[in-house]
Amino acid sequence: NKNYRMNEKQNHLERISSRIPKINKCLESSFAETINERDRAVTAVKSAQVRLEVLKKEQELAQMLQERLIVVKAKRKQIEREWAEVTRTDQLSELQQKVDLWEKVSGAWVRVTDRKELKINFSRLKDGVSPKDCYVTLNANSGDVWEIKDCRPTVPGLQPLLDELNETKDLRKFCT
């Protein structure tokens, strides 16, 4: 019986021993696959880290561009305001030149009074009559319709001229 058991154990050991090369081969193959998977994972992690760094730099660049865009927009608005002011100043200067020429040619000058009325003084008058004594004061408080507030001296036939002014809105024609 003892021999039998020994033989059994010997046979069992031989069977196990015969399987060891096969198991080793499986283990080696499995280990190689694990190493390959690990290498692919390491490569993927490194690639992800590189991509993450690129994305961080892109985000920083986008933030910087956003900040610069805000600065550029503010500068643009400032330049537009300054340009509008320059344009307005140029327009006012040009308009003043036209008014000065018109006053010189027509012999009349126009001023806005404290009560927001338009006072037109006439300077081409007969000798002995002062321009400050000859004027027409107009008021447009009721919208686009001009009204005569005051006139010195009284001018006969002024109402048809006023009607024409309200119709044509041509103040130059009214003053000349």
Side-chain angles (χ1 to χ4, degrees), residues 26-65:
C26 263
L27 287 174
E28 285 174 5
S29 174
S30 179
F31 181 74
E33 285 179 29
T34 303
I35 295 294
N36 285 339
E37 285 178 22
R38 184 207 62 191
D39 290 346
R40 283 192 298 271
V42 166
T43 302
V45 166
K46 286 181 181 178
S47 177
Q49 288 172 334
V50 168
R51 182 68 183 140
L52 182 61
E53 287 301 314
V54 168
L55 288 173
K56 284 180 183 178
K57 287 180 182 178
E58 287 176 354
Q59 185 179 19
E60 289 171 5
L61 181 61
Q63 180 66 32
M64 185 177 71
L65 288 173

Side-chain angles (χ1 to χ4, degrees), residues 38-101:
R38 184 207 62 191
D39 290 346
R40 283 192 298 271
V42 166
T43 302
V45 166
K46 286 181 181 178
S47 177
Q49 288 172 334
V50 168
R51 182 68 183 140
L52 182 61
E53 287 301 314
V54 168
L55 288 173
K56 284 180 183 178
K57 287 180 182 178
E58 287 176 354
Q59 185 179 19
E60 289 171 5
L61 181 61
Q63 180 66 32
M64 185 177 71
L65 288 173
Q66 183 70 24
E67 290 167 2
R68 288 204 179 171
L69 181 62
I70 291 168
V71 170
V72 166
K73 284 181 177 181
K75 188 68 174 173
R76 179 181 180 188
K77 284 184 179 186
Q78 178 187 358
I79 289 170
E80 286 173 349
R81 282 191 304 273
E82 290 172 3
W83 179 252
E85 185 61 34
V86 166
T87 302
R88 199 171 18 259
T89 302
D90 289 348
Q91 289 171 341
L92 289 173
S93 175
E94 184 180 327
L95 184 59
Q96 186 61 51
Q97 289 173 357
K98 289 179 180 180
V99 167
D100 292 346
L101 178 63

Side-chain angles (χ1 to χ4, degrees), residues 111-119 137:
R111 299 292 177 261
V112 177
T113 69
D114 294 339
R115 290 172 284 188
K116 306 294 182 199
E117 297 171 336
L118 199 60
K119 186 174 184 178
T137 304

